[in-house]
Amino acid sequence: MNEISRRAGPSLTAPDLVMLDHLVTSLVETRRGIAAFQALEAQLLHAANTLAQERVDASRSDGDLPMRDVAAEIGAALRVSDRTVQRQLGQASILAERFPRTLDALTTGRISRAHVHVIVDAGHRITDDEVRARFETAVLTVAEQESPSRLKGYARLTAERLLPRTLQERHQDATAGRRVDVSDLDDAMSQLTLVAASTLIHGIHDRLTHQARTVTTTDPDDPRTLDHLRADLLCDLALSGTPTAHEPAQLLGTITAEIHVTVPALTLASTSSHPTTRDGVLDAAQLDPAMLDGVQPVDTATALQLVGASPGWDRALTHPITGAVLAVDRYRPSADLRRYLRAIDQRCRFPGCMMPTRRCDLDHIHDAARGGPTNADNLTDKCRRHHVLKHHTTWTTRKQPDGTITWTSPTGRHYPDRTPPHVAFTTDTDPPPF
Ligand SMILES: [Zn+2]
């Protein structure tokens, strides 16, 4: 029989408990204060959103420019992407306008922002104001006593019971959210997420499984697992398959993938595991990795394979110490200039924007129509959103000698966007003569 030992273990002393009591009280008060500030922030964002919405002209294709203008100003000031800000502006207004009781509970610190997320997430589909108010009252009672994770199930079930629409109707709406997302993982891996109807997703998985089994039956020596084969088959189909249910099918089939990989020159030179500099042997682990779109490391073997491969790949060689771009492959003046700038900019040059340059426009800082030259000093990459922002609002840009682009906002604030930082080795000697 198991018995719990009655021997006293190490324990807190009476003075410890006095101190702990003080700490707990302070923490509870601090959290209440943070909640009040978060509520205030939501109200400020809601006010900014309202200010922008009053100038939005839905009858025009560029009617939401005031919205982007406001989001850009706030994003630059807070050093976050303006797309993120625009999403937060919308969320703040949903909270302020549709969940007033919840915002009130946050203001007085009765619930945390995590509770707010759960409540809005579960209740946003309730369109009737009166029904939503009933939902709020019910879930707030629980929220004030339970953790956000415990609240989640209750809130979802409560919302489900109050929803007037059938699953059929809701599924119809949900299909508007179908999409493909990419997120980067560690170790030069990324994840592709496909959101679509359950029947299609399970159908895809089933077909891949059948194909994978056929591969293993045909070649019993193939060492790949079913998981490996499903992943490899899906990549193969998506990268080289021709769609049959979309027009123009023939043209769609000829469209090939384009990615942008930056390879440091020293990494390129390292054909063995013992690359050397003029100073001697350099550990392969110290080499900068190649970078995909300036944000995701690519392993050396894959990068070297790409450098020697087909003409679909852009190749940019960077200096091992400074990270400066040394050369871009395949010389053709205009295309070369574009590649050169892409390698330097790596992403849209609006503060906080992560849009890769292959999806950007090259924009003249000094307008070409007013004599601005088409050269590296006068061109920068801008995504369509920020290109439009610059040309159709009062935002302006200036390029500094070090490549920094300074944006001046409608309120007269200056926001610098520096060239992407490179991790540089410290060295006592001059950089190698590349
Ligand atoms: Zn951008």
Side-chain angles (χ1 to χ4, degrees), residues 61-93:
S61 63
D62 61 352
D64 72 333
L65 270 174
M67 194 66 243
R68 299 188 199 182
D69 205 353
V70 166
E73 175 94 43
I74 296 173
L78 302 182
R79 293 189 308 284
V80 290
S81 143
D82 57 333
R83 290 181 181 83
T84 304
V85 171
Q86 196 164 335
R87 203 167 51 241
Q88 289 170 344
L89 288 169
Q91 287 165 345
S93 285

Side-chain angles (χ1 to χ4, degrees), residues 53 55-66:
Q53 290 295 349
R55 300 283 167 255
V56 165
D57 182 353
S59 68
R60 295 173 51 142
S61 63
D62 61 352
D64 72 333
L65 270 174

Side-chain angles (χ1 to χ4, degrees), residues 83 348 350 353 355 383 386:
R83 290 181 181 83
C348 165
F350 186 81
C353 185
M355 191 65 78
C383 71
H386 294 126

Side-chain angles (χ1 to χ4, degrees), residues 59-372:
S59 68
R60 295 173 51 142
S61 63
D62 61 352
D64 72 333
L65 270 174
M67 194 66 243
R68 299 188 199 182
D69 205 353
V70 166
E73 175 94 43
I74 296 173
L78 302 182
R79 293 189 308 284
V80 290
S81 143
D82 57 333
R83 290 181 181 83
T84 304
V85 171
Q86 196 164 335
R87 203 167 51 241
Q88 289 170 344
L89 288 169
Q91 287 165 345
S93 285
I94 287 173
L95 178 61
E97 288 169 355
R98 298 170 62 184
F99 296 87
R101 290 160 194 80
T102 306
L103 181 56
D104 191 49
L106 184 68
T107 305
T108 52
R110 283 177 286 136
I111 59 169
S112 70
R113 191 155 69 172
H115 290 106
V116 172
H117 283 311
V118 171
I119 293 170
V120 174
D121 201 41
H124 76 278
R125 292 179 297 162
I126 306 172
T127 48
D128 186 280
D129 288 345
E130 225 166 275
V131 177
R132 201 182 322 105
R134 270 168 57 208
F135 165 79
E136 274 192 286
T137 308
V139 293
L140 281 171
T141 315
V142 177
E144 285 173 30
Q145 295 161 9
E146 288 288 3
S147 65
S149 48
R150 286 188 176 186
L151 174 66
K152 194 179 271 181
Y154 177 79
R156 280 192 180 156
L157 193 63
T158 308
E160 193 69 33
R161 286 193 180 138
L162 290 169
L163 281 174
R165 307 172 69 231
T166 63
L167 178 59
Q168 171 68 41
E169 292 169 317
R170 282 183 277 132
H171 176 71
Q172 192 122 23
D173 287 357
T175 54
R178 64 191 188 276
R179 64 189 182 277
V180 174
D181 292 328
V182 172
S183 54
D184 291 332
L185 307 174
D186 290 338
D187 307 325
M189 299 292 275
S190 296
Q191 179 171 308
L192 186 78
T193 312
L194 167 62
V195 178
S198 302
T199 46
L200 295 178
I201 298 287
H202 285 268
I204 289 168
H205 194 268
D206 184 61
R207 181 164 188 242
L208 290 172
T209 305
H210 280 302
Q211 290 179 335
R213 289 221 172 94
T214 306
V215 172
T216 47
T217 314
T218 312
D219 179 8
D221 292 335
D222 195 316
R224 291 175 290 179
T225 65
L226 274 185
D227 273 334
H228 297 161
L229 281 164
R230 276 191 289 254
D232 295 350
L233 283 162
L234 184 57
C235 288
D236 189 359
L237 284 167
L239 282 169
S240 63
T242 298
T244 53
H246 293 79
E247 290 299 329
Q250 204 64 35
L251 178 62
L252 292 177
T254 63
I255 294 173
T256 53
E258 186 189 332
I259 59 169
H260 183 190
V261 176
T262 309
V263 186
L266 214 56
T267 307
L268 180 63
S270 68
T271 47
S272 74
S273 59
H274 296 293
T276 58
T277 67
R278 60 179 183 160
D279 301 323
V281 177
L282 185 71
D283 186 352
Q286 287 185 326
L287 292 172
D288 275 349
M291 296 295 282
L292 171 62
D293 287 334
V295 291
Q296 176 70 347
V298 175
D299 63 284
T300 306
T302 305
L304 293 178
Q305 200 184 340
L306 296 183
V307 168
S310 68
W313 310 108
D314 271 346
R315 303 192 278 175
L317 305 187
T318 55
H319 192 285
I321 307 296
T322 63
V325 175
L326 298 172
V328 179
D329 228 13
R330 293 174 297 169
Y331 184 79
R332 271 204 314 262
S334 62
D336 188 63
L337 182 60
R338 168 165 277 279
R339 289 199 183 88
Y340 180 73
L341 284 160
R342 279 180 171 181
I344 290 175
D345 288 344
Q346 296 194 21
R347 46 171 169 59
C348 165
R349 296 298 306 274
F350 186 81
C353 185
M354 289 303 290
M355 191 65 78
T357 48
R358 70 191 140 79
R359 284 198 254 145
C360 286
D361 305 326
L362 272 185
D363 179 42
H364 287 79
I365 294 169
H366 296 294
D367 210 335
R370 293 181 192 153

Side-chain angles (χ1 to χ4, degrees), residues 385-427:
R385 176 188 176 95
H386 294 126
H387 196 174
V388 169
L389 184 77
K390 192 203 138 194
H391 283 277
H392 297 279
T393 70
T394 48
W395 282 85
T396 58
T397 57
R398 211 154 31 88
K399 193 171 191 172
Q400 318 284 5
D402 70 351
T404 300
I405 309 281
T406 301
W407 289 72
T408 302
S409 76
T411 66
R413 288 176 169 81
H414 302 296
Y415 302 110
D417 183 71
R418 295 169 184 90
T419 48
H422 290 273
V423 179
F425 299 122
T426 50
T427 172

